Amino acid sequence: MPKISVEIPQELLDDLDDHVGEDGKFVNRSDAIRSSIRKNLDILDEIDKRHDRLEDQE
């Protein structure tokens, strides 16, 4: 799996960390970020679908 590097504000990282760990929804930061990216892409796909901007992916 490729690795990437991103810079994010400390406040956003702190918020992310609130959801990671034994008491959180995610095992680690990478899992949380992957899940967030997937969710955001799904939302963008839905918006594109509503505006007929998606090509058929069959």
Side-chain angles (χ1 to χ4, degrees):
M1 188 176 313
K3 289 185 180 184
I4 63 167
S5 223
V6 296
E7 294 181 13
I8 61 172
Q10 186 63 49
E11 181 180 315
L12 186 57
L13 183 59
D14 293 341
D15 192 21
L16 177 75
D17 285 341
D18 288 342
H19 299 282
V20 175
E22 288 184 28
D23 296 331
K25 300 172 194 81
F26 304 100
V27 175
N28 54 45
R29 285 178 176 171
S30 292
D31 185 40
I33 292 167
R34 275 190 300 273
S35 180
S36 296
I37 290 171
R38 279 188 203 103
K39 179 70 174 174
N40 193 48
L41 291 173
D42 287 346
I43 290 168
L44 291 173
D45 284 347
E46 284 299 316
I47 291 169
D48 284 344
K49 237 185 257 185
R50 277 185 262 143
H51 294 279
D52 293 323
R53 293 188 294 225
L54 270 188
E55 295 179 16
D56 289 333
Q57 297 179 4
E58 294 181 40

